[in-house]
Amino acid sequence: MDVSRYPTLETVDFRNREEVNRFPERVMAEGLVKARAEIAELQARGLMDAGGKLLVTELPADMREGSDRDFGG
């Protein structure tokens, strides 16, 4: 997806209502690119199937109920 056709925060002309209205489109487009990359990473690591279902659902030992560890907060 080519996000270069959308204005950036640095290039948007805030006096131009059309450009201001198009700026969120860039944010959404960039978010979609990042989300797709994260999904591809999870699939490549065998953690998610092609349908988006998580294949590993068990928590690590230190995150399970009754663990003697905490997050320090």
Side-chain angles (χ1 to χ4, degrees):
M1 176 173 288
D2 181 21
V3 296
S4 65
R5 62 188 177 117
Y6 300 107
T8 66
L9 188 57
E10 291 83 18
T11 65
V12 67
D13 179 0
F14 288 100
R15 294 166 295 185
N16 182 327
R17 179 59 54 194
E18 183 179 331
E19 277 194 28
V20 170
N21 290 339
R22 289 186 60 224
F23 178 71
E25 294 174 25
R26 181 182 188 105
V27 173
M28 294 299 290
E30 287 180 349
L32 186 57
V33 168
K34 290 179 182 182
R36 286 180 175 158
E38 290 293 324
I39 290 168
E41 168 82 14
L42 290 171
Q43 289 173 341
R45 294 176 58 197
L47 302 174
M48 179 182 284
D49 69 12
K53 181 179 177 187
L54 291 177
L55 301 175
V56 177
T57 57
E58 188 171 315
L59 292 173
D62 63 340
M63 294 178 70
R64 293 185 194 140
E65 187 71 33
S67 171
D68 64 348
R69 301 173 199 268
D70 64 28
F71 64 91

